Amino acid sequence: MLQVSVLRNNTEEVKKRLKVKHFGQPELVDIIVALDNERKKLQADFDATQAKVNTASREIGKLMAGGKKEDAESIKNEVAGWKATLEPLKEQMAKVEKELQDTLVLLPNLPSADVPEGKSPEENVVVREGGEKPVLAADAVPHWDLIKQYDLIDFETGAKITGSGFPLYKGKGAKLQRALVQYFLNFNTDAGYTEYLPPFMVNEASAFATGQLPDKEGQMYHATADNFYLIPTAEVPVTNIYRDTILKWEELPIKMTAYSPCFRREAGSFGKDVRGLNRVHQFEKVEIIQIVDPEKSYAVLDEMVAHVESLLVSLELPYRILRLCGGDMGFASAITYDFEVFSAAQERWLEVSSVSNFESFQTNRMKCRYKDAAGKMQLAHSLNGSSLALPRIVACLLENNQSAEGIRLPQVLHAYFGAEKIG
RNA sequence: GGUGAGGUGGGUGAGUGGCUAAAACCAGUAGUUUGCUAAACUGCCGUACGGGUCAAACUGUACCGAGGGUUCGAAUCCCUCCCUCACCGCCA
């Protein structure tokens, strides 16, 4: 959520930047400022009258104590008159405030100055590529065939148990998941991130704070009996650790990592895009999250990008890093880098991580603040990234490393998996 | 799920209708003093939204789990809900 003060003081600049995100309702900015003006005016009126009531009430107390009952009664009558005017003011204020709030949450975060212009994924900018695309044998097959061949995942039974998009990992397939999660978590804790294992369902307040509500309600599974949402990413519960919190300056940066299953309804899409592990409703992911001093958030962003990159390098996968263009960015993000790995058998890039700086967009919703060196209250900045989402990593590991002798695993996984190859 | 107790500021904790934004203590912070691996004393020390100011000072309103209600006036009384703790039940 953007701060009204920002909209008020930089109205034109805000509209200009919203345009980079291809946001369709720039007029909301003016509406919000107008609503806020109205809010202020109403509050001034209300406060002045309430002050009179408070003063009179104290007076009544003194008069009663002094036994001057009649004087007290006459003031009471006066107070009753003021209070009558207070009621409609209060209602009006609540109405305007709600309208202001409801409108404010419709505005996406402003893209940072580094965000490239563009509307669609084709306009994302490739920042760099790394690793080497393997040259596969002529009979190389996509991961869904390899999964069958080595009996790693049973999609059909997963569909029977729950529905399509809920894979049932089996045998070495299941063990590979465990190995990857372990490896990723250790990689992150070695870099100074504190490990958490969060709840996998969250309440409404938490879903709102990180921006899933009201924007993406339909994308989450909703347990209506208790009004809980299944998390689409560990970002939601973990970032919410610091909801309604005032941090001390020295506590920053806060670095957290967490494994969680991720649940996504993701309606739409078809065909090749959704085959095998390309798109599923439940998948495993390890996430990294930081809450930092605003001055340092862009340096931290670079650090997180480098961290994820080194993780990919260690997996010996060909990858590329994209800077998303305005039109392809998420609602809450100020800048996003996507990581994609090359799936050699499908001959396409698959997204495996997304590292974003949210600046104060989430922390403003969450009321996550800190006291700076001068003792002044400031909103912290929040960032997060995947390190990494498993399904597509698995798809690429399988496809890129297939051979007549089985699937070779990168060195770093040997100890975790207990073998050097599958098959 | 049942019964009971309780939810007050960073922490402990007082406060059962007005003089309480809220005692006291601890922590924190600024300073004084003595001096030495620290002590003593003094001041300051919640948040939000307004007004005010270059910025302060100053000032208004709200907030004592959340939301309603009673009252001229509520942390304090009433109602609903949430949460925590204890015991019981059920259960991995």
Side-chain angles (χ1 to χ4, degrees), chain A residues 39 43 47 50-51 54 57 60 79 83 369 371:
Chain A
R39 195 204 99 241
Q43 191 188 332
D47 284 0
Q50 184 62 253
N54 289 346
S57 293
I60 290 169
V79 170
K83 285 191 68 171
R369 295 153 297 169
K371 277 194 175 163

Coordinates of all heavy atoms in Angstrom, one line a residue, chain A residues 39 43 47 50-51 54 57 60 79 83 369 371, chain B residues 18 46-51 60-62 72-73:
Chain A
R39 N -11.2 13.8 4.8 CA -11.0 13.1 6.0 C -10.4 14.1 7.1 O -10.9 14.1 8.2 CB -10.0 11.9 5.8 CG -10.0 10.9 6.9 CD -8.6 10.2 7.0 NE -7.8 10.8 7.9 CZ -6.6 11.3 7.7 NH1 -6.1 11.4 6.5 NH2 -5.9 11.9 8.7
Q43 N -12.1 15.3 10.5 CA -11.5 15.0 11.8 C -11.3 16.3 12.6 O -11.5 16.3 13.9 CB -10.1 14.4 11.6 CG -9.6 13.8 13.0 CD -8.2 13.3 12.9 OE1 -7.7 12.9 11.9 NE2 -7.5 13.4 14.1
D47 N -12.9 16.6 16.2 CA -12.0 16.7 17.4 C -12.3 18.0 18.2 O -12.3 17.9 19.4 CB -10.5 16.8 16.9 CG -9.9 15.5 16.5 OD1 -10.7 14.5 16.6 OD2 -8.8 15.4 16.1
Q50 N -15.5 17.2 20.2 CA -15.2 16.2 21.2 C -14.5 16.9 22.3 O -14.7 16.6 23.5 CB -14.4 15.1 20.6 CG -14.2 13.9 21.5 CD -15.4 13.2 22.0 OE1 -15.8 13.4 23.2 NE2 -16.1 12.5 21.1
A51 N -13.6 17.8 22.0 CA -12.8 18.5 23.0 C -13.7 19.3 24.0 O -13.5 19.3 25.2 CB -11.8 19.4 22.4
N54 N -15.4 16.9 26.3 CA -14.5 16.4 27.3 C -14.3 17.4 28.4 O -14.3 17.1 29.6 CB -13.2 16.0 26.7 CG -13.2 14.7 25.8 OD1 -14.2 14.0 25.9 ND2 -12.2 14.5 25.0
S57 N -17.4 17.6 30.5 CA -17.6 16.5 31.3 C -16.7 16.6 32.6 O -17.2 16.2 33.7 CB -17.2 15.2 30.6 OG -18.2 15.0 29.5
I60 N -18.4 18.9 34.9 CA -19.6 18.3 35.6 C -19.1 17.5 36.8 O -19.7 17.6 37.9 CB -20.3 17.4 34.6 CG1 -21.1 18.2 33.5 CG2 -21.3 16.5 35.4 CD1 -21.6 17.4 32.4
V79 N -24.1 19.6 26.7 CA -23.3 18.5 26.2 C -24.1 17.7 25.2 O -23.7 17.2 24.2 CB -22.7 17.7 27.3 CG1 -22.1 16.4 26.7 CG2 -21.7 18.4 28.1
K83 N -23.3 16.5 21.5 CA -23.1 15.1 21.1 C -24.0 14.7 19.9 O -23.7 13.8 19.2 CB -23.5 14.2 22.3 CG -22.4 14.2 23.4 CD -22.6 13.2 24.4 CE -22.5 11.8 23.9 NZ -22.5 10.8 24.9
R369 N 7.7 -1.1 11.3 CA 8.5 0.1 11.3 C 9.7 -0.1 12.1 O 9.8 -1.1 12.8 CB 7.6 1.2 11.8 CG 6.4 1.6 10.9 CD 5.3 2.2 11.7 NE 4.8 1.3 12.7 CZ 3.9 1.6 13.7 NH1 3.6 2.9 13.8 NH2 3.5 0.7 14.5
K371 N 12.7 2.4 14.5 CA 13.2 3.7 14.9 C 14.6 4.0 14.4 O 15.5 3.2 14.7 CB 13.1 3.8 16.4 CG 11.7 4.2 16.9 CD 11.7 4.6 18.3 CE 10.3 5.0 18.7 NZ 10.1 5.1 20.1
Chain B
rG18 P -13.2 7.4 39.2 OP1 -11.9 6.8 39.4 OP2 -14.0 7.9 40.3 O5' -13.2 8.5 38.1 C5' -12.3 8.6 37.0 C4' -12.6 9.9 36.4 O4' -14.0 10.2 36.6 C3' -11.8 11.0 36.9 O3' -11.0 11.5 35.8 C2' -12.8 12.1 37.3 O2' -12.5 13.3 36.6 C1' -14.1 11.6 36.8 N9 -15.4 11.8 37.5 C8 -15.8 11.5 38.7 N7 -17.1 11.7 39.0 C5 -17.5 12.2 37.7 C6 -18.8 12.6 37.4 O6 -19.9 12.5 38.0 N1 -18.8 13.1 36.1 C2 -17.7 13.1 35.2 N2 -18.0 13.6 34.0 N3 -16.5 12.7 35.6 C4 -16.5 12.3 36.8
rG46 P 6.8 8.2 25.9 OP1 6.3 9.5 25.6 OP2 6.5 7.5 27.2 O5' 6.3 7.3 24.7 C5' 7.1 6.1 24.4 C4' 6.1 5.1 23.7 O4' 5.0 4.9 24.6 C3' 5.5 5.6 22.4 O3' 6.4 5.4 21.4 C2' 4.3 4.7 22.4 O2' 4.6 3.4 22.0 C1' 3.9 4.7 23.8 N9 2.9 5.7 24.2 C8 3.0 6.8 24.9 N7 1.9 7.5 25.1 C5 1.0 6.8 24.3 C6 -0.4 7.1 24.1 O6 -1.1 8.0 24.5 N1 -0.9 6.1 23.3 C2 -0.3 5.0 22.8 N2 -1.0 4.2 22.0 N3 1.0 4.8 23.0 C4 1.6 5.7 23.8
rU47 P 6.4 6.4 20.1 OP1 7.5 6.0 19.3 OP2 6.2 7.7 20.6 O5' 5.1 5.9 19.4 C5' 5.0 4.6 18.8 C4' 3.6 4.3 18.4 O4' 2.7 4.4 19.5 C3' 3.0 5.4 17.4 O3' 3.5 5.2 16.1 C2' 1.5 5.1 17.5 O2' 1.2 3.9 16.9 C1' 1.4 4.8 19.0 N1 1.0 6.1 19.8 C2 -0.3 6.4 19.7 O2 -1.2 5.8 19.1 N3 -0.6 7.6 20.4 C4 0.2 8.4 21.1 O4 -0.2 9.4 21.7 C5 1.6 8.0 21.1 C6 1.9 6.8 20.4
rA48 P 3.4 6.4 15.1 OP1 4.1 6.0 13.9 OP2 3.8 7.6 15.8 O5' 1.9 6.5 14.7 C5' 1.2 5.5 14.1 C4' -0.2 5.8 14.0 O4' -0.8 5.9 15.3 C3' -0.6 7.1 13.3 O3' -0.5 7.1 11.9 C2' -2.0 7.4 13.9 O2' -2.9 6.6 13.2 C1' -1.9 6.9 15.3 N9 -1.5 7.9 16.2 C8 -0.2 8.2 16.7 N7 -0.3 9.2 17.6 C5 -1.6 9.5 17.7 C6 -2.3 10.5 18.4 N6 -1.6 11.3 19.3 N1 -3.6 10.6 18.3 C2 -4.2 9.8 17.4 N3 -3.7 8.8 16.7 C4 -2.4 8.8 16.8
rC49 P -0.1 8.4 11.1 OP1 0.2 7.9 9.7 OP2 1.0 9.1 11.9 O5' -1.4 9.3 11.2 C5' -2.6 8.8 10.6 C4' -3.7 9.7 11.1 O4' -3.9 9.6 12.5 C3' -3.5 11.2 10.9 O3' -3.7 11.6 9.5 C2' -4.5 11.8 11.8 O2' -5.8 11.7 11.3 C1' -4.4 10.9 13.0 N1 -3.4 11.4 14.0 C2 -3.9 12.3 14.9 O2 -5.1 12.6 14.9 N3 -3.0 12.8 15.9 C4 -1.7 12.4 15.9 N4 -0.9 13.0 16.8 C5 -1.2 11.5 14.9 C6 -2.1 11.0 14.0
rG50 P -3.1 12.9 9.0 OP1 -3.3 12.9 7.5 OP2 -1.7 13.1 9.5 O5' -4.0 13.9 9.7 C5' -3.5 15.1 10.1 C4' -4.6 15.9 10.8 O4' -4.8 15.3 12.1 C3' -4.3 17.3 11.2 O3' -4.6 18.1 10.0 C2' -5.2 17.6 12.3 O2' -6.5 17.8 11.9 C1' -5.0 16.3 13.1 N9 -3.9 16.3 14.0 C8 -2.7 15.5 13.9 N7 -1.9 15.8 14.8 C5 -2.4 16.8 15.6 C6 -1.9 17.5 16.7 O6 -0.9 17.4 17.3 N1 -2.8 18.5 17.1 C2 -4.1 18.7 16.5 N2 -4.8 19.7 17.1 N3 -4.5 18.1 15.5 C4 -3.7 17.1 15.1
rG51 P -3.5 19.2 9.6 OP1 -4.0 19.8 8.3 OP2 -2.1 18.6 9.6 O5' -3.6 20.3 10.7 C5' -4.8 20.9 11.0 C4' -4.7 21.8 12.2 O4' -4.4 21.0 13.4 C3' -3.4 22.7 12.2 O3' -3.7 23.9 11.4 C2' -3.3 23.1 13.7 O2' -4.3 24.0 14.1 C1' -3.6 21.7 14.3 N9 -2.4 20.9 14.6 C8 -2.0 19.8 13.9 N7 -0.8 19.4 14.4 C5 -0.5 20.2 15.4 C6 0.6 20.3 16.3 O6 1.6 19.5 16.4 N1 0.5 21.3 17.2 C2 -0.5 22.2 17.3 N2 -0.4 23.2 18.2 N3 -1.6 22.2 16.4 C4 -1.5 21.2 15.6
rG60 P -4.5 20.0 24.6 OP1 -5.4 20.3 25.7 OP2 -3.4 19.0 24.8 O5' -5.3 19.6 23.4 C5' -6.5 20.4 23.0 C4' -7.2 19.7 21.9 O4' -6.3 19.7 20.7 C3' -7.6 18.3 22.0 O3' -8.8 18.1 22.8 C2' -7.7 17.8 20.6 O2' -8.9 18.3 20.0 C1' -6.5 18.6 19.9 N9 -5.3 17.8 19.9 C8 -4.2 17.9 20.7 N7 -3.3 17.0 20.4 C5 -3.8 16.3 19.4 C6 -3.2 15.2 18.6 O6 -2.1 14.7 18.8 N1 -4.1 14.8 17.6 C2 -5.3 15.3 17.4 N2 -6.0 14.8 16.4 N3 -5.9 16.3 18.1 C4 -5.0 16.7 19.0
rU61 P -9.0 16.8 23.6 OP1 -10.2 17.0 24.4 OP2 -7.7 16.5 24.4 O5' -9.2 15.7 22.5 C5' -10.3 15.8 21.7 C4' -10.3 14.7 20.6 O4' -9.1 14.9 19.8 C3' -10.1 13.3 21.2 O3' -11.3 12.7 21.7 C2' -9.5 12.6 19.9 O2' -10.6 12.3 19.0 C1' -8.6 13.7 19.4 N1 -7.2 13.5 19.8 C2 -6.4 12.6 19.2 O2 -6.9 11.9 18.3 N3 -5.2 12.4 19.6 C4 -4.6 13.2 20.7 O4 -3.4 13.0 21.0 C5 -5.5 14.1 21.3 C6 -6.7 14.3 20.9
rA62 P -11.2 11.6 22.8 OP1 -12.5 11.4 23.3 OP2 -10.1 12.0 23.8 O5' -10.6 10.4 22.0 C5' -11.4 9.8 21.0 C4' -10.6 8.7 20.3 O4' -9.5 9.3 19.7 C3' -10.0 7.6 21.2 O3' -11.0 6.7 21.5 C2' -8.9 7.1 20.3 O2' -9.4 6.3 19.3 C1' -8.4 8.4 19.7 N9 -7.3 9.0 20.5 C8 -7.3 10.0 21.4 N7 -6.1 10.3 21.9 C5 -5.2 9.4 21.2 C6 -3.9 9.2 21.3 N6 -3.0 9.9 22.1 N1 -3.3 8.2 20.5 C2 -4.1 7.5 19.7 N3 -5.5 7.6 19.5 C4 -5.9 8.6 20.3
rC72 P -26.3 10.8 30.6 OP1 -27.2 11.7 31.5 OP2 -26.9 10.2 29.4 O5' -25.0 11.6 30.3 C5' -25.0 12.6 29.3 C4' -23.7 13.4 29.4 O4' -23.7 14.1 30.6 C3' -22.5 12.6 29.5 O3' -22.0 12.2 28.2 C2' -21.5 13.5 30.1 O2' -21.0 14.5 29.2 C1' -22.4 14.2 31.2 N1 -22.4 13.5 32.5 C2 -21.2 13.7 33.3 O2 -20.3 14.4 32.9 N3 -21.2 13.1 34.5 C4 -22.2 12.4 34.9 N4 -22.1 11.8 36.1 C5 -23.4 12.2 34.1 C6 -23.4 12.8 32.9
rG73 P -21.5 10.7 28.0 OP1 -21.1 10.6 26.6 OP2 -22.5 9.7 28.5 O5' -20.2 10.6 28.9 C5' -19.1 11.4 28.5 C4' -18.0 11.3 29.5 O4' -18.5 11.8 30.8 C3' -17.5 9.9 29.9 O3' -16.6 9.4 28.9 C2' -16.9 10.0 31.2 O2' -15.6 10.6 31.2 C1' -17.9 11.1 31.8 N9 -18.9 10.4 32.6 C8 -20.2 10.3 32.3 N7 -21.0 9.7 33.2 C5 -20.0 9.5 34.2 C6 -20.2 8.8 35.5 O6 -21.3 8.4 36.0 N1 -19.0 8.8 36.2 C2 -17.8 9.3 35.8 N2 -16.8 9.2 36.6 N3 -17.7 9.9 34.6 C4 -18.8 9.9 33.9

